[in-house]
Amino acid sequence: MPFAPSRRTLLGGLAAAALPWDLALAQGAPTTNLRVGMTASAVPLPNGMPDQGAEGHRFMGITLYDHLVMWDLSKSDGPAALRPGLATAWRVDPNDPKRWIFTIREGVKFHDGKLLTAEDVVFSYDRAFKPDAPHYDARGSSQVRGRMPTNLRWYAEGERTFILETRTVDSLVPYGATWTGITHQGAWEAAGRDNDRLLQRPVGTGPFKLESFNIRERAVLVRNPDYWETARIPKVGRVTLLPLPEPNTRVAALRSNQVDFVEAPPPDAIPSLRQAGFNITSNQYGHNWTWHLSLIEGSPWRDVRVRRAANLGVDRAGMKDMLGGMMLEGGGLVPVGGPWNPVRSPRLNYDPNAARALMAQAGFTPRNPMRTKVAISASGSGQMQPLAMNEALQQSLKEIGIDITFEVFDWNTLLTTWREGARSPNIRGCTAINVTYTALDPYSAMIRLLKSDLVSPVANNWGYLNDPAYDALIQQVYETFDIPAQDAILKQLHDKVLDEALFLFVAHDLNPRAMTRNVRGFVQAQSWFQDLTPISLG
């Protein structure tokens, strides 16, 4: 049942919660407490494979846990790049391109003092990808299995080498390795061999440890003073995560000093927050705000004229004004400017007359509209301002002959429905779904959405696209390890997606955050993920 407390209830609870951590006493790292208002409706699961979308990974994935490969979140002036994590190096076996070799970092300790070995990585991958393992975590697996669909088997070769073999050649394995947090069997044993009990006593190697967890109220993380990467030992003593899905509630909590840091403040509040002395940060990053369109039998979106008309009927500049400039106009599956999408497609111009002409060819007019239903959420990680944005789309599309009604889901339920695909009975008759997602690498930005065999339950081809031409280009990407050559193939793939208007392309988020003046040191990376370890409280 969706959790929907009133603003009064939330703020009352926050006021009570703030008492043990009086900021007047917060002098020095061991006693400081960074209080974060998240957009999620619940605290993400602390199981190494958190729910609540990429926001869950941001706050409960890369804080408590480390991964074989990690993102460099230390700078704001360029896209985040991969860097060594618990693996100091990785390479493809020169004799077998389906065999990846990871060298495990020496001297890393888990929160309970155990030294990391390759067997811990095997245990963690079993939890995520091996349904017949006694420690398999089905709930966590649902969050990560679609990130590495080519996994075949994995094993340790001594304490310092982890081997991952894939079903087919897959040049994108290092990106997938950024998602599965590494823990060890002793932690699971100590939790009574019970994945639910493990949520209350998780053990990772990350810069923070879990002090307390209540899924509907809060989680408290404490700094790990013995973290293996000394430059990233947290500068605050605690981080308190508070689920505040309603945008105005987050702003009210910030103004009343109940939180220090909020995600996604509503655009109309940003000028007054600045005037009141709060700091506002934003940055572009790999993000996509689209409608995913069903291509199954009976869906009106099977007609390419309708899909193209819808894209021509979106007033993206008007939506940008509505959001106070806090978005980039949708340019495709990735923002305009990189090697995969260097120039803006003319098919994404706002041209309602051309859109109406295409709809007329398809047999629809504003007086005789195409009627359908779209699944949306009221909040959620990266969803920006989903109610206002979808209502603006509803009005724009009505003017060209598309009459939209909405089915509003809780964010986590919407994510589940997205993973289940357009054929799921849980979609409640919707032929499109508004889910935002990371677009940080070739797999997350394109492949998982387009490849014919990556439909539910394998990955995120929600609309059931099945086209050999797309599959052939994707196979070339998998088999190409030279980055410039791979980029050229990805551009061909993206050009084809734009030409056939497979999605309704609307926006790319600028990821705004608001924080009090005493929050210092935050570097907003060009990434969905952010590093909390440099933050201090003045």
Side-chain angles (χ1 to χ4, degrees):
M1 184 173 183
F3 177 61
S6 67
R7 182 192 293 186
R8 178 176 297 178
T9 300
L10 270 171
L11 292 180
L14 283 170
L19 292 176
W21 300 298
D22 188 343
L23 283 183
L25 302 177
Q27 302 298 323
T31 57
T32 52
N33 177 40
L34 176 70
R35 302 161 300 171
V36 178
M38 302 181 297
T39 68
S41 58
V43 178
L45 297 178
N47 59 357
M49 302 170 282
D51 61 349
Q52 300 295 334
E55 186 175 30
H57 197 64
R58 180 190 307 147
F59 288 121
M60 279 294 213
I62 62 175
T63 49
L64 302 179
Y65 295 89
D66 292 316
H67 305 73
L68 288 176
V69 184
M70 290 155 61
W71 292 99
D72 182 356
L73 305 174
S74 63
K75 61 182 182 179
S76 60
D77 58 356
L82 296 181
R83 71 179 185 94
L86 296 182
T88 57
W90 52 89
R91 61 189 176 91
V92 172
D93 186 331
N95 299 314
D96 182 357
K98 294 186 286 187
R99 186 173 185 266
W100 284 83
I101 304 168
F102 292 84
T103 302
I104 303 304
R105 188 178 298 274
E106 293 188 47
V108 174
K109 288 185 178 181
F110 286 95
H111 297 157
D112 60 3
K114 181 193 180 298
L115 280 169
L116 169 75
T117 71
E119 289 293 349
D120 300 313
V121 183
V122 173
F123 173 82
S124 300
Y125 273 61
D126 284 352
R127 289 183 69 223
F129 302 107
K130 192 175 181 181
D132 60 350
H135 41 278
Y136 176 70
D137 185 341
R139 190 161 42 180
S141 177
S142 69
Q143 309 299 322
V144 300
R145 66 181 176 232
R147 305 287 181 180
M148 302 185 80
T150 62
N151 282 4
L152 178 61
R153 69 186 188 114
W154 45 92
Y155 50 93
E157 286 189 349
E159 291 192 349
R160 303 264 71 85
T161 304
F162 173 70
I163 305 297
L164 177 67
E165 296 181 2
T166 57
R167 293 182 179 85
T168 59
V169 176
D170 184 352
S171 64
L172 308 179
V173 160
Y175 295 109
T178 64
W179 288 95
T180 302
I182 305 304
T183 188
H184 63 89
Q185 187 162 349
W188 179 70
E189 299 279 359
R193 302 169 63 90
D194 185 324
N195 284 318
D196 287 335
R197 290 182 63 189
L198 189 62
L199 297 177
Q200 295 296 337
R201 52 180 75 180
V203 177
T205 63
F208 292 92
K209 306 177 185 181
L210 185 70
E211 181 177 87
S212 63
F213 169 72
N214 186 310
I215 194 167
R216 291 300 182 189
E217 294 181 10
R218 75 191 62 245
V220 179
L221 317 183
V222 296
R223 71 194 290 263
N224 177 8
D226 303 314
Y227 186 53
W228 59 268
E229 190 175 8
T230 55
R232 294 185 60 242
I233 293 175
K235 293 180 171 57
V236 293
R238 282 179 168 80
V239 174
T240 298
L241 302 175
L242 299 157
L244 301 176
E246 205 278 314
N248 291 321
T249 301
R250 292 195 295 277
V251 170
L254 185 68
R255 288 185 179 277
S256 60
N257 195 31
Q258 302 305 308
V259 295
D260 308 291
F261 180 121
V262 299
E263 302 275 291
D268 58 357
I270 288 176
S272 64
L273 286 171
R274 281 199 175 108
Q275 189 173 13
F278 293 97
N279 292 324
I280 308 295
T281 69
S282 67
N283 207 344
Q284 69 181 55
Y285 68 118
H287 169 277
N288 206 10
W289 200 103
T290 65
W291 284 2
H292 297 237
L293 307 177
S294 171
L295 301 177
I296 66 175
E297 300 79 6
S299 171
W301 303 109
R302 287 168 65 95
D303 189 328
V304 68
R305 296 169 298 185
V306 172
R307 301 197 302 269
R308 287 172 176 164
N311 275 287
L312 290 169
V314 175
D315 183 4
R316 298 172 183 83
M319 186 171 289
K320 183 175 181 178
D321 288 342
M322 180 186 80
L323 295 178
M326 286 294 170
M327 64 165 264
L328 299 176
E329 295 180 32
L333 289 176
V334 291
V336 176
W340 312 336
N341 189 21
V343 297
R344 186 169 187 83
S345 169
R347 295 195 183 280
L348 298 182
N349 293 333
Y350 178 47
D351 191 340
N353 290 329
R356 279 188 284 268
L358 282 168
M359 290 300 294
Q361 292 176 26
F364 302 103
T365 68
R367 290 189 175 183
N368 176 38
M370 182 196 94
R371 290 185 170 88
T372 194
K373 190 162 61 166
V374 179
I376 68 171
S377 67
S379 66
S381 169
Q383 292 289 89
M384 301 172 68
Q385 308 300 324
L387 295 180
M389 293 170 72
N390 277 301
E391 286 168 0
L393 285 178
Q394 184 183 48
Q395 183 59 42
S396 291
L397 295 179
K398 185 174 183 179
E399 293 173 4
I400 67 167
I402 300 177
D403 190 353
I404 297 294
T405 56
F406 294 123
E407 187 76 23
V408 183
F409 291 74
D410 165 79
W411 171 231
N412 226 29
T413 304
L414 189 76
L415 282 175
T416 299
T417 306
W418 183 48
R419 296 186 187 102
E420 290 174 346
R423 298 189 192 279
S424 169
N426 295 323
I427 198 59
R428 303 177 195 170
C430 295
T431 66
I433 188 168
N434 169 220
V435 169
T436 61
Y437 49 88
T438 54
L440 301 176
D441 60 79
Y443 180 78
S444 68
M446 288 188 264
I447 291 172
R448 63 177 173 151
L449 313 174
L450 305 172
K451 198 165 185 288
S452 63
D453 61 357
L454 295 184
V455 296
S456 177
V458 181
N460 304 111
N461 181 353
W462 184 82
Y464 288 83
L465 173 69
N466 189 344
D467 187 329
Y470 285 95
D471 289 347
L473 285 170
I474 290 168
Q475 192 60 39
Q476 290 182 52
V477 173
Y478 274 140
E479 294 175 357
T480 302
F481 290 82
D482 177 74
I483 297 301
Q486 188 183 85
D487 284 342
I489 302 166
L490 288 163
K491 181 182 181 301
Q492 292 181 55
L493 183 64
H494 194 266
D495 286 348
K496 186 172 177 62
V497 170
L498 286 172
D499 183 58
E500 297 180 6
L502 290 180
F503 302 78
L504 184 65
F505 303 106
V506 181
H508 308 289
D509 193 9
L510 287 179
N511 216 6
R513 293 175 170 85
M515 56 197 73
T516 59
R517 280 178 287 187
N518 66 328
V519 176
R520 300 173 182 173
F522 176 62
V523 176
Q524 182 144 332
Q526 290 187 25
S527 172
W528 202 297
F529 313 119
Q530 303 295 326
D531 189 358
L532 302 183
T533 65
I535 295 176
S536 63
L537 291 174

